[in-house]
Amino acid sequence: MSDDGALTFDGMPTRLWSCTPTKLDTWLSCPRRFRFAYLDRRPKGLPWAHNSVGSSVHNALRDWWLLPVERRTPGAATDLVTRNFLTDGFRDDAQIREWRERAAAMTSSYVAHLDPDDEPAGVERTVSTTTHGMALSGRVDRIDRRASDDGADELVIVDYKTGRRPLTDDDARSSLALAVYVVAASRTLRRRSRRVELHHLPTGTVAAHDHTPESIERHLTRAGDIAAEASTAETVWKDRLASRAEDAAAGDADAVEAIDAHFPPSPGPSCSWCDYRRWCPSGRDASSEIAPWSGLADSA
Ligand code: SF4
């Protein structure tokens, strides 16, 4: 088989499985959730306020880099967040006002430490590659171009984080998504890449890791294993389970059992955060219902 898994031993082309790091993570965390999200396509629950904050900040940072260099100021970042702030999931107007200000403040203080002239190699750039039986793609928040020790330019993968938990270098090292982006950005932009960084805006800290060929290969092998499992289940779904989805949704025990054999649930306390909890009795039993603004720091 070739490196990218495109050929079998007998030389016949084999289909690459199209996926994103999010899709792989979803399978890993809960196959039933994977089914709801990518196959059944069930409607999600209520939007989360912390996602509104995250999207507002990400959008503002994207638009900030689109401004002419002389307008890339902290004040412009404040304006971009304030004008386009997303309001889904908050408790009330007072909470929206508070978080609009907090999001604007964290974004403007973050850009105050950026060099507006240091044009990134990509902003919200889609990158892709084929490897280990997968056609992988994803969108990177920012791809920087920096000089390495030997003087050659390298691509650095930058991922913005706005959650309440500060991040560690171990988070950067163990992130499958960031490792995949190293490979995909390198192939797409034809330049060397190995460093990944998590920029945590609420604390202004950066967690980083420099990958080696070996650590990248470990991530890709793991991604390939997850993809093989998920794609096999997806084939079974298309061949013989999709036709039973309606029966399962209506509570037919046989249909539920047949589908769960290939897409088992992974119930636990974290089901509180699952967008598909309303469709999932085992997830509801294992977790408590929480308010859409529960993911905000200091939320009541
Ligand atoms: S509620 Fe829990 S068990 Fe059910 S689909 Fe979501 S993550 Fe899986």
Side-chain angles (χ1 to χ4, degrees):
M1 185 184 289
S2 68
D3 256 5
D4 64 8
L7 291 177
T8 57
F9 287 114
D10 58 7
M12 295 295 288
T14 186
R15 275 188 62 154
L16 297 165
W17 192 60
S18 293
C19 58
T20 61
T22 305
K23 195 171 177 181
L24 295 171
D25 271 342
T26 304
W27 174 266
L28 202 57
S29 65
C30 179
R32 180 183 280 180
R33 179 150 56 126
F34 176 95
R35 166 170 71 93
F36 287 155
Y38 296 103
L39 302 175
D40 248 358
R41 299 193 184 278
R42 300 273 179 101
K44 291 182 178 182
L46 293 172
W48 299 98
H50 62 274
N51 285 347
S52 292
V53 173
S55 297
S56 300
V57 170
H58 278 73
N59 293 343
L61 288 171
R62 175 199 61 209
D63 294 345
W64 190 82
W65 282 109
L66 294 174
L67 294 171
V69 174
E70 66 278 8
R71 290 182 52 206
R72 292 176 189 167
T73 62
T78 301
D79 284 350
L80 287 166
V81 173
T82 306
R83 270 193 279 121
N84 305 313
F85 192 69
L86 301 168
T87 57
D88 288 334
F90 291 93
R91 183 182 52 216
D92 52 27
D93 286 348
Q95 197 178 47
I96 290 172
R97 277 196 300 278
E98 178 196 341
W99 277 92
R100 188 165 47 209
E101 280 173 29
R102 287 171 80 153
M106 75 169 86
T107 310
S108 65
S109 88
Y110 174 72
V111 303
H113 295 94
L114 299 178
D115 176 358
D117 288 310
D118 192 6
E119 204 69 48
V123 173
E124 292 209 354
R125 174 73 195 249
T126 297
V127 293
S128 60
T129 188
T130 55
T131 184
H132 294 64
M134 302 167 286
L136 271 165
S137 63
R139 202 170 52 182
V140 185
D141 288 343
R142 197 175 88 215
I143 304 173
D144 284 352
R145 195 184 288 117
R146 299 201 204 136
S148 65
D149 297 341
D150 63 10
D153 267 6
E154 279 190 355
L155 302 175
V156 176
I157 305 300
V158 174
D159 196 32
Y160 304 133
K161 294 292 179 191
T162 59
R164 52 187 173 184
R165 184 175 76 84
L167 297 149
T168 65
D169 290 348
D170 205 44
D171 292 313
R173 181 190 59 78
S174 61
S175 166
L176 185 133
L178 293 180
V180 163
Y181 292 149
V182 162
V183 179
S186 181
R187 299 256 171 97
T188 303
L189 300 174
R190 298 179 188 284
R191 207 172 281 267
R192 194 168 70 182
S193 177
R194 63 195 166 106
R195 185 173 178 81
V196 297
E197 294 183 350
L198 295 166
H199 292 202
H200 188 244
L201 273 71
T203 54
T205 55
V206 173
H209 182 70
D210 289 313
H211 275 294
T212 62
E214 292 75 24
S215 66
I216 289 290
E217 181 56 29
R218 276 197 295 276
H219 275 293
L220 291 180
T221 300
R222 181 161 163 263
D225 290 345
I226 300 166
E229 215 178 279
S231 63
T232 300
E234 198 175 280
T235 301
V236 176
W237 172 266
K238 285 177 186 153
D239 289 349
R240 47 194 169 89
L241 295 176
S243 57
R244 309 194 67 185
E246 273 187 33
D247 292 342
D252 179 324
D254 283 347
V256 171
E257 194 181 334
I259 292 174
D260 279 356
H262 297 275
F263 299 90
S266 304
S270 64
C271 291
S272 295
W273 301 97
C274 177
D275 286 327
Y276 303 95
R277 184 174 177 274
R278 64 195 268 222
W279 303 108
C280 182
S282 40
R284 286 199 302 275
D285 287 347
S287 63
S288 50
E289 186 161 0
I290 54 176
W293 54 87
S294 301
L296 300 173
D298 316 324
S299 64

